[in-house]
Every structure is written in C-alpha cells, then in structure tokens.
C-alpha cells in the first residue's frame, strides 16, 4: 500500500503504459457541487510524457480560475512566488491573493503542500 498522498502505479501488459492512481482531497466548491459530500476524488491516468501539469486539468479538477491554475503550474514546476508573479505580469500582492485562493480551493495551507498535492494528483502528466 502506498503512503498517504503518494500515487500508486498499476502496471499493464505492453504496449499499454502503466496507470497512475491518485487519491486527492475533493475540497473545491466545484467538486462538492458535482459529487455532493465526497471527501476525496480518485484520479486515474496513463503514465505521462513530459512531467508538466496542464493548467486546464487544475481548472477541471479543482475549480481554479485560469490565472490561479497558471500560477499553480508555475509553482509546481519549482518557481517561487515572486518569479511566478513576474512571469505572469502580476503584482506581488495579486500573486499572494491568488495563492490564498488556491490554498482554500485545494485545502492546503503551505506552498510545499500545494506542490506535493499537484505532484501526487498529476504525476508525470
């Protein structure tokens, strides 16, 4: 059994790629509206290609706005908040506000928790 928050790999016969199974909090308002009282979501996807997270997947999975998702992707790639703000042409205050909204929607309290959740939710995407 995998440790809490770590994805599980399900191997399949070649030529199929392995499946990645992740269990993540269903903390966003959109997830609660769609799934009622669900506390977690089980996400299954093919082992991926380039290791990046698509912003559209974050919008879909967690109800983030496009700009919140863009910020989350940059943070997930290892960018610090100040650097991400510059890349997105945001003020530091706006970037902090987006980060607070991301934390609330994903049910995390720290940037490290956010990155860990993103990696567990969308491994090798």
């Amino acid at each position: 059994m995998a440790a809490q928050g770590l994805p599980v790999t399900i191997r399949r016969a070649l030529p199929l790629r392995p499946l990645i199974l992740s269990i993540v909090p269903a903390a966003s308002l959109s997830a609660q509206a769609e799934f009622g009282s669900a506390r977690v979501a089980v996400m299954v996807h093919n082992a991926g290609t380039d290791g990046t997270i698509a912003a559209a997947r974050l919008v879909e999975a967690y109800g983030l706005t496009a700009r919140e998702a863009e910020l989350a992707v940059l943070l997930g790639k290892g960018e610090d908040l100040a650097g991400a703000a510059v890349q997105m042409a945001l003020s530091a205050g706006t970037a902090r506000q987006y980060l607070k909204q991301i934390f609330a929607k994903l049910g995390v309290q720290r940037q490290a928790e956010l990155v860990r959740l993103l990696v567990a939710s969308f491994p090798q995407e």
Side-chain angles (χ1 to χ4, degrees):
M1 179 159 189
Q4 182 178 4
L6 296 178
V8 174
T9 302
I10 302 169
R11 299 195 187 283
R12 301 189 293 174
L14 292 175
L16 298 174
R17 289 191 240 172
L19 293 175
I20 306 295
L21 176 85
S22 303
I23 300 174
V24 298
S28 74
L29 295 177
S30 64
Q32 290 174 354
E34 189 170 341
F35 300 112
S37 62
R39 299 284 185 207
V40 297
V42 178
M43 305 180 82
V44 180
H45 26 212
N46 284 314
T49 54
D50 69 357
T52 61
I53 299 165
R57 297 288 304 271
L58 297 176
V59 170
E60 178 184 320
Y62 294 108
L64 299 182
T65 67
R67 294 294 273 173
E68 291 167 351
E70 184 180 353
L71 178 60
V73 166
L74 290 171
L75 297 173
K77 290 179 178 179
E79 189 66 59
D80 66 8
L81 186 60
V86 168
Q87 287 186 47
M88 294 176 64
L90 298 174
S91 71
T94 300
R96 279 193 301 275
Q97 185 60 38
Y98 282 164
L99 186 60
K100 288 178 187 177
Q101 292 167 321
I102 293 166
F103 285 176
K105 290 179 181 180
L106 274 67
V108 299
Q109 296 179 356
R110 293 184 177 81
Q111 198 167 318
E113 290 176 86
L114 169 64
V115 172
R116 186 170 45 248
L117 177 62
L118 294 176
V119 170
S121 298
F122 303 99
Q124 299 178 2
E125 191 161 287

